[in-house]
Amino acid sequence: GSLASTGGSAAGGGGGADGGSPVKIALFSLGNMCAHRECREALVALNIWDAIRRLASNPDPTLQKYLARIQAKLTQGQAPGAGGAGPATPAPA
């Protein structure tokens, strides 16, 4: 399976009175995990870049902030000159 299996168009919607959705909570947690090399490597192996691309079209500003945070941590963790399946340029923070 892929990390991008988010359940269709409700990917960023829903949630309780606090406005949190399961997807936003998961993205925030993934951002925390990306601070650790072993976790970054595992997430890249699970095709996290595909999930980021799929969720990038969601207009929710909080979701976009969490995606940018994940992208920044993934690209910061790469060695200079290292290849990868990530974006050619880092996303703005």
Side-chain angles (χ1 to χ4, degrees):
S2 170
L3 289 173
S5 301
T6 57
S9 62
D18 64 351
S21 75
V23 172
K24 289 179 187 175
I25 293 166
L27 289 175
F28 185 84
S29 298
L30 287 170
N32 290 338
M33 292 173 62
C34 287
H36 307 283
R37 181 185 53 82
E38 296 87 356
C39 293
R40 282 192 306 270
E41 291 171 357
L43 290 169
V44 168
L46 289 170
N47 205 10
I48 192 170
W49 289 111
D50 184 53
I52 290 170
R53 285 185 197 100
R54 288 176 183 237
L55 291 170
S57 63
N58 188 305
D60 184 283
T62 303
L63 191 135
Q64 291 302 318
K65 178 175 76 172
Y66 293 165
L67 288 173
R69 179 174 172 253
I70 292 168
Q71 289 174 311
K73 289 187 178 192
L74 287 173
T75 55
Q76 287 172 355
Q78 292 178 348
T89 57

